[in-house]
Amino acid sequence: MLLKLDFSSDVPIYLQIRNQIVMGIAEGKLSPGEKLPTVRALAVESGINVMTVNKAYALLKQEGYILADRRSGAIINPDIAKPGFISDKTKNDLKLVISEIKLAGVSREELLNLCGQLYDETGETR
Amino acid sequence: MLLKLDFSSDVPIYLQIRNQIVMGIAEGKLSPGEKLPTVRALAVESGINVMTVNKAYALLKQEGYILADRRSGAIINPDIAKPGFISDKTKNDLKLVISEIKLAGVSREELLNLCGQLYDETGETR
DNA sequence: TTATTTGTATTATAATTAGTAATACAATAA
DNA sequence: TTATTGTATTACTAATTATAATACAAATAA
């Protein structure tokens, strides 16, 4: 697990860590169940603070990409085995928007139509 | 159009304005096409700065709830006539999440299933 | 037990962002 | 022209964010 951190970037360090781990999973460089380096190891190796690494891990944990506790350390969430996995955070974001739409008085069918349409016309992001 | 602003609230003033206008529309107190007070009128009446009102208007404009330009002043968007109206912002939020999900390798059917499920189990927000 | 290793809570600090405002401006209409 | 509209620029303060130093709690290994 080697990270390439750009300290002059305006993307915060903890986010760079988080992003590279997510991409590592997506590219298959990190496998579900695989052990991640300890927060301390990563911190020393990268010359940054433990809590900066922890912030990345906490975020990944909250998003459902990794599991982390005091005994076992951090591992890639085994449930991301197959493609089609939707993170907790993404699912939550979706739920929030759908709530708003429902409250706006949009019917179930209208919503599903819109979602399908957006799915079709959607390419890339970020 | 009378606004009730709470200056000791931790909801920023411009958001209070925005929210009360959105609710006003939802409750039928403000009709599509109806003229809104000028930024100056609202500012003086409420004892706040013009630009604070403008920030609310700019947000409402961006969200698609009102139309505003230099000639006509600001009016409620006539297209919000019927319930079921989805604001530009909401539509954009939805598009963003769906993009992420699509990129995660989720199929169209899976997405629609999830959306339907979330629609059903969703009650309130905020 | 004690020592060590894990993630995390607390606290601090510098930098950035957000909320509000004073003022000036551009476009339109009368 | 003059008055009215929304908006751009700028500034100032308060709140938030990113990072870090340090201490702690839970678990395991010795």
Side-chain angles (χ1 to χ4, degrees):
Chain A
M1 187 66 212
L2 69 167
L3 293 180
K4 281 168 194 156
L5 300 181
D6 177 0
F7 292 95
S8 60
S9 164
D10 55 344
V11 177
I13 298 176
Y14 82 93
L15 251 191
Q16 293 187 39
I17 298 175
R18 177 267 179 195
N19 291 342
Q20 290 184 34
I21 289 180
V22 170
M23 290 188 295
I25 299 171
E27 296 168 7
K29 291 177 184 170
L30 292 171
S31 311
E34 180 174 339
K35 220 170 175 325
L36 284 174
T38 71
V39 287
R40 258 159 267 256
L42 256 192
V44 170
E45 174 186 323
S46 309
I48 57 177
N49 191 274
V50 183
M51 290 312 290
T52 302
V53 179
N54 181 260
K55 188 159 187 177
Y57 276 28
L59 182 55
L60 289 162
K61 185 180 177 179
Q62 178 208 313
E63 294 177 327
Y65 288 116
I66 71 173
L67 307 180
D69 61 65
R70 248 183 295 254
R71 41 189 171 270
S72 46
I75 62 170
I76 309 288
N77 187 344
D79 290 345
I80 333 181
K82 57 283 174 195
F85 171 82
I86 303 177
S87 77
D88 291 354
K89 179 182 176 300
T90 301
K91 205 173 287 183
N92 216 62
D93 288 349
L94 181 58
K95 184 171 181 175
L96 190 69
V97 186
I98 289 184
S99 298
E100 284 190 39
I101 292 177
K102 184 174 180 180
L103 287 177
V106 176
S107 75
R108 211 189 127 107
E109 303 89 282
E110 282 175 312
L111 170 69
L112 294 186
N113 279 343
L114 179 58
C115 289
Q117 179 190 326
L118 290 176
Y119 184 93
D120 294 336
E121 74 188 27
T122 279
E124 305 255 328
T125 335
R126 306 184 183 210
Chain B
M1 186 67 212
L2 69 169
L3 293 181
K4 281 169 193 154
L5 300 182
D6 177 0
F7 292 96
S8 59
S9 163
D10 55 344
V11 178
I13 298 176
Y14 82 93
L15 250 191
Q16 294 186 40
I17 298 175
R18 178 266 180 196
N19 290 342
Q20 291 184 34
I21 289 180
V22 170
M23 292 187 296
I25 299 172
E27 296 167 6
K29 293 176 183 170
L30 293 172
S31 310
E34 181 174 341
K35 220 170 173 327
L36 284 174
T38 70
V39 288
R40 257 160 270 252
L42 256 191
V44 170
E45 174 187 324
S46 308
I48 57 177
N49 192 274
V50 183
M51 289 313 290
T52 303
V53 179
N54 180 259
K55 188 158 186 178
Y57 277 27
L59 181 55
L60 289 162
K61 184 178 178 180
Q62 180 207 312
E63 294 177 326
Y65 288 115
I66 72 174
L67 306 179
D69 60 65
R70 248 182 294 252
R71 43 188 168 270
S72 46
I75 62 169
I76 308 289
N77 187 344
D79 290 345
I80 334 181
K82 56 280 172 195
F85 171 81
I86 304 177
S87 77
D88 292 353
K89 180 183 175 300
T90 301
K91 205 174 288 184
N92 215 63
D93 288 349
L94 181 59
K95 184 170 180 175
L96 191 68
V97 186
I98 288 184
S99 298
E100 284 189 40
I101 292 177
K102 185 175 181 180
L103 287 177
V106 176
S107 75
R108 210 189 128 106
E109 303 90 282
E110 282 174 313
L111 169 69
L112 294 185
N113 279 343
L114 179 58
C115 288
Q117 180 190 325
L118 289 177
Y119 184 92
D120 295 336
E121 74 187 27
T122 278
E124 305 257 326
T125 335
R126 308 194 177 199

